[in-house]
Amino acid sequence: MSAAIAGSGVALLPAYVASEHLRSGRLAPVLPGWSHDCWPVYLVYPYRHPLPRKYEAFIQHVVPRMRALLEAGIDPGQGAVRPSSPE
């Protein structure tokens, strides 16, 4: 991403990573209307058997909500993604 921001490259980034840079003008879309179909999201936690209830409760809470946000193209931290138009 730093190379793209510096003007030295192109980056394929998920909306939740690029949205602030698009809004500020540090990045501009180069292929509007084209997007990658799938962005993997990982939930990482220390291995314990059995899985503590608080971990299981957190996973049950977060997974469907993150899935819905990502499928809707909404940045979980910033709200709806509104990319700036290229100059």
Side-chain angles (χ1 to χ4, degrees):
M1 181 167 63
S2 59
I5 291 172
S8 300
V10 176
L12 177 61
L13 303 167
Y16 68 90
V17 171
S19 62
E20 180 59 33
H21 300 291
L22 290 166
R23 278 194 288 275
S24 71
R26 289 187 299 265
L27 290 176
V30 293
L31 296 172
W34 186 88
S35 66
H36 192 272
D37 291 335
C38 178
W39 292 102
V41 175
Y42 301 95
L43 184 61
V44 180
Y45 49 89
Y47 174 78
R48 292 198 183 137
H49 186 74
L51 189 62
R53 287 184 184 163
K54 63 183 177 181
Y55 287 14
E56 185 63 35
F58 180 75
I59 292 166
Q60 295 297 321
H61 176 79
V62 168
V63 169
R65 286 164 178 78
M66 281 296 293
R67 182 176 290 126
L69 289 172
L70 294 171
E71 287 174 356
I74 296 173
D75 177 350
Q78 301 294 324
V81 176
R82 295 179 188 91
S84 60
S85 54
E87 294 180 10

